[in-house]
Amino acid sequence: MIGVLTGLVAVLTVLTVLNLVLLFAVIRRLRTAEAGHGTAQLTLPEAGARIGSFLTAAMDDSVLSEEQLADDFVVAFVSPTCGPCKTQLADFRATPRSAPERTVFFVNGSANDAQSAEFAASLAGLGRVAYAAVGDAASTAFGGVDSFPTLLRTGGGKIAATGRTWDAILAPAGAAV
């Protein structure tokens, strides 16, 4: 009987040590992933940078280009999987920050993705809407947008202001562009 109990304790000890090793490996992996993800969250295009060349179709079948968005536009890069994007859009719906004809939303994704398409459709009436994935011509033209929400104000063919909130890009706060 003592032999069986000793064997059982030995097996349980090995399993416990293995469990701890795996737990520490998962924790280390999560910390590494968070560290890499956190730096991208802080990246914003530089205010004062010239808007690069791009040409893309909006959902209303119009064409958007750098010339059309050069002066006095609010440009928002948003994603359907982004919690802060939804918060900023709810704020925008409650208190419109710019006229729909002076506002453009670039939705991360494509029309082929049901979640992106539903999200883009929910923006109808707030401004013109187009799809723009990270790394495509539109996101690159605005300084390499790679995190969401990225809110911009344009002026003089340049990015006049950048931020994560409407108040950060519009002065005075709440003024219509």
Side-chain angles (χ1 to χ4, degrees):
M1 182 73 166
I2 299 279
V4 173
L5 288 176
T6 304
L8 185 61
V9 168
V11 168
L12 288 176
T13 301
V14 169
L15 289 175
T16 301
V17 169
L18 178 63
N19 238 350
L20 285 172
V21 168
L22 292 174
L23 177 64
F24 288 129
V26 168
I27 290 170
R28 183 182 51 215
R29 186 121 191 194
L30 285 172
R31 285 185 180 160
T32 303
E34 282 180 358
H37 187 64
T39 55
Q41 291 280 333
L42 301 176
T43 304
L44 280 171
E46 283 190 42
R50 182 151 298 284
I51 300 170
S53 178
F54 76 96
L55 191 64
T56 190
M59 287 180 56
D60 63 2
D61 293 328
S62 64
V63 176
L64 297 171
S65 69
E66 70 279 2
E67 291 104 15
Q68 293 172 331
L69 304 181
D71 289 316
D72 301 323
F73 269 85
V74 171
V75 180
F77 286 85
V78 293
S79 174
T81 59
C82 165
C85 295
K86 293 174 184 171
T87 301
Q88 289 304 310
L89 290 172
D91 181 40
F92 190 88
R93 284 184 178 95
T95 309
R97 305 300 178 112
S98 69
E101 62 273 7
R102 308 296 292 166
T103 306
V104 176
F105 293 96
F106 286 105
V107 175
N108 184 41
S110 71
N112 298 331
D113 175 46
Q115 186 178 18
S116 296
E118 182 181 330
F119 186 72
S122 75
L123 300 173
L126 298 177
R128 293 167 73 186
V129 181
Y131 294 101
V134 172
D136 77 355
S139 64
T140 302
F142 286 95
V145 173
D146 62 358
S147 59
F148 306 98
T150 296
L151 309 175
L152 311 168
R153 185 171 39 88
T154 65
K158 296 180 180 180
I159 299 171
T162 66
R164 301 280 182 214
T165 65
W166 302 110
D167 290 339
I169 66 165
L170 299 170
V177 173

